[in-house]
Structure formats: C-alpha cells, structure tokens
C-alpha cells in the first residue's frame, strides 16, 4: 500500500497534466470532442516517446553502449511489452483474431511509420537536398520488420487462418 501511494505521488504531475489537456470524451459535456481527445492523446504519446528515446540515448552514451544495441534491446522491449499485454488480454477473452491483428498491425504500423518522416521531409519541406540518415542499424531493423510481417502472414495462412497453441508457440519462438 505504501508503494502504491509513492507511485501515485510521483505520477500525479503527469496525471494532472493529462487531465488538464485531454478532454474526457466519456463525459456528456465532452462527448462530441472525441477527435480532439484522439489527437491530444497521440501528441502526448509522441512527446513521451521522444523523451524516452532521448533518455535512453543519454544512458547509452553514459554507459558507452552503442545506439543500435540500446534501440534493439531496451527500446524494442519497452515498446513491445504494451502490445504483448494487449494481445494476451484479448486472447484470454477468446478473441485470438484481435490478438493476431494487434501483432500484425503493430509491425505494419512500424514499417509505415519508419519512412513517413523522411517522406514528409523530402516531399514537402526540403526537396533540394537528399536526406542524410545517421543510423547503421536501419537496414537490419527494416529487413527484420519486413521478414516478421511476411512470417506472421505466411504462418497464419498455412494454419488455415486459425490461431491455436501450435501457431501461438511458433509466433512466440520466432518473436
């Protein structure tokens, strides 16, 4: 109980900030403001993600750990855990199709969002110069994401579009 109180006190500034900036569209007064709620939530997720990556970069530089290693381990695990928890929760409710959709959707979203900032920069902001990308692990990351998407689609197709223990174990091993 003391630990939960400490956690509540530490998270109070963030909770207050979110409460003041994101309309609660579950309430009658804010019911028609759901689009603003969506975009404000996305903005805050982006801001928290930026700070998370920034802090992980600082920790990696402090401990002399390369960015690629930090990105492929700590950040990858940190961003995959919420997806995993969501997939497990819906699978336990008997909604295996939603669990698989979450897995596939997450990887497809990662692939699409990987190129979106570069597309915006080169198509709309600065057409004159090519974009310099400073990442030695980008090719590995892109190829591994693409292979995982193809693998999941192929595995589900070969299993007659049914999620069972065999397919679940295979996905877990390959993940």
């Amino acid at each position: 109980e003391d630990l939960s109180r400490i956690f509540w006190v530490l998270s109070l500034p963030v909770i207050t900030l979110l409460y003041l900036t994101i309309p609660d569209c579950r309430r009658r007064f804010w019911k028609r403001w759901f689009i603003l709620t969506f975009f404000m939530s996305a903005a805050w997720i982006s801001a928290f993600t930026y700070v998370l990556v920034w802090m992980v970069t600082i920790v990696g530089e402090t401990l002399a750990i390369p960015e690629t290693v930090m990105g492929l381990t700590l950040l990858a695990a940190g961003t995959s855990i919420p997806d995993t928890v969501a997939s497990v929760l819906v699978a336990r409710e008997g909604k295996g199709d939603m669990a698989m959709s979450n897995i596939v959707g997450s990887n497809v979203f990662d692939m699409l969002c990987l190129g979106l900032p570069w597309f915006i920069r080169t198509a709309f902001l600065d057409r004159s110069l090519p974009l310099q990308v400073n990442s030695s692990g980008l090719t590995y990351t892109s190829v591994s994401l693409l292979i995982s998407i193809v693998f999941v689609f192929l595995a589900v197709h070969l299993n007659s579009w049914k999620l069972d223990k065999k397919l679940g174990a295979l996905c877990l091993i390959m993940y």
Side-chain angles (χ1 to χ4, degrees):
E1 185 171 307
D2 290 336
L3 188 59
S4 64
R5 283 185 181 172
I6 291 170
F7 180 72
W8 182 81
V9 169
L10 291 175
S11 63
L12 189 60
V14 173
I15 292 170
T16 304
L17 185 64
L18 295 177
Y19 177 78
L20 293 174
T21 58
I22 302 175
D24 187 357
C25 61
R26 295 173 297 181
R27 297 182 183 200
R28 178 175 282 187
F29 180 78
W30 294 107
K31 204 162 196 77
R32 294 187 309 177
W33 293 86
F34 62 92
I35 293 175
L36 179 64
T37 300
F38 174 78
F39 283 111
M40 287 303 297
S41 299
W44 278 113
I45 290 170
S46 299
F48 291 140
T49 302
Y50 180 82
V51 171
L52 172 74
V53 171
W54 181 26
M55 291 298 118
V56 166
T57 303
I58 290 172
V59 168
E61 288 176 0
T62 304
L63 299 175
I65 300 173
E67 284 182 19
T68 307
V69 173
M70 293 297 284
L72 290 175
T73 55
L74 192 61
L75 286 176
T79 57
S80 295
I81 288 172
D83 288 337
T84 305
V85 170
S87 294
V88 168
L89 290 175
V90 295
R92 283 187 178 168
E93 292 178 4
K95 300 174 184 171
D97 54 343
M98 284 181 68
M100 290 304 291
S101 296
N102 188 25
I103 292 167
V104 172
S106 175
N107 286 337
V108 169
F109 184 77
D110 289 346
M111 281 300 290
L112 292 175
C113 289
L114 197 59
L116 185 62
W118 298 324
F119 172 74
I120 292 171
R121 169 91 187 270
T122 56
F124 301 112
L125 300 179
D126 190 6
R127 295 180 181 192
S128 61
L129 297 172
L131 183 62
Q132 180 76 24
V133 178
N134 298 322
S135 176
S136 58
L138 184 62
T139 303
Y140 171 78
T141 304
S142 300
V143 169
S144 64
L145 272 173
L146 186 60
I147 288 171
S148 69
I149 292 169
V150 170
F151 166 75
V152 169
F153 274 114
L154 187 63
V156 172
H157 176 71
L158 292 175
N159 204 42
S160 302
W161 299 98
K162 294 180 182 161
L163 180 63
D164 55 11
K165 288 184 180 183
K166 177 180 68 172
L167 180 61
L170 185 63
C171 286
L172 185 63
I173 290 168
M174 292 304 291
Y175 196 68

